[in-house]
Amino acid sequence: VRWLLTEPRVELARHRLVYDGADGRIYENPRALPRFYGGTTTITAWRGDAYDLRVDAPHPTQIASSIAFWPGWRILYNGRALRPQRVNGAFLGFTIPAGRGVVRVRYAPLSFWGGALISLLTIGGLAIIRARV
C-alpha cells in the first residue's frame, strides 16, 4: 500500500507525512512496491481493468503485482496467452519467458459476458412482447 489515510493526530513513524489537516492525515509508504514488478517492467498504459507493460527478463521470470487475483484476468505476452497465477497469497502474477516483450493484462470475466447476453436477450424478448401488444 503506497498511501495511508488516518484520523487527525495519528502518528505513523515509518511513513512520510504528506498531508495534515483537520479532516485527517495522509502518509506515503516509501517501501511500497510498484503495481507490477519482476524483471524490468514498465507500465506503458493503464486504466482500472487493463494494463499494458513492456518487460525485459534475462531468464524466465515471474512478474508479480499488487492487484488482487480473481478469475477473469487475461494475460497476453507478445500475442500469446499466459496463465494468470496467484502470487504472494492473494495477488495476480504470471511467468514470462526470457527476452523482451509486450504484456497486455485485461480483466474480462465470463460472468460479465454471460450477464450481458442475458440482458440483451431480455431486451429482445420485451421488444417482441411490446410489438405484439
Side-chain angles (χ1 to χ4, degrees):
V1 175
R2 182 167 181 184
W3 305 103
L4 299 153
L5 287 74
T6 69
E7 297 286 329
R9 296 178 298 282
V10 172
E11 297 289 334
L12 298 177
R14 296 183 305 187
H15 298 82
R16 187 174 70 88
L17 180 65
V18 294
Y19 172 80
D20 186 8
D23 55 345
R25 288 183 167 180
I26 300 176
Y27 288 90
E28 181 180 15
N29 178 2
R31 295 173 294 163
L33 294 171
R35 176 69 71 186
F36 289 91
Y37 54 96
T40 301
T41 306
T42 304
I43 298 174
T44 58
W46 73 91
R47 60 179 198 268
D49 63 346
Y51 299 87
D52 292 342
L53 314 171
R54 190 174 50 250
V55 296
D56 187 6
H59 48 78
T61 301
Q62 184 176 65
I63 305 295
S65 75
S66 59
I67 300 169
F69 177 87
W70 198 256
W73 284 104
R74 308 285 185 254
I75 301 165
L76 293 176
Y77 174 76
N78 292 338
R80 195 180 98 226
L82 297 179
R83 186 176 64 81
Q85 302 166 353
R86 185 182 305 262
V87 298
N88 299 327
F91 299 99
L92 174 66
F94 50 91
T95 301
I96 60 168
R100 291 185 178 137
V102 174
V103 177
R104 294 182 181 272
V105 180
R106 303 282 185 266
Y107 186 65
L110 292 176
S111 59
F112 170 79
W113 297 110
L117 177 62
I118 290 169
S119 297
L120 288 173
L121 291 173
T122 302
I123 291 169
L126 291 172
I128 291 170
I129 292 170
R130 178 151 192 212
R132 290 185 178 179
V133 175

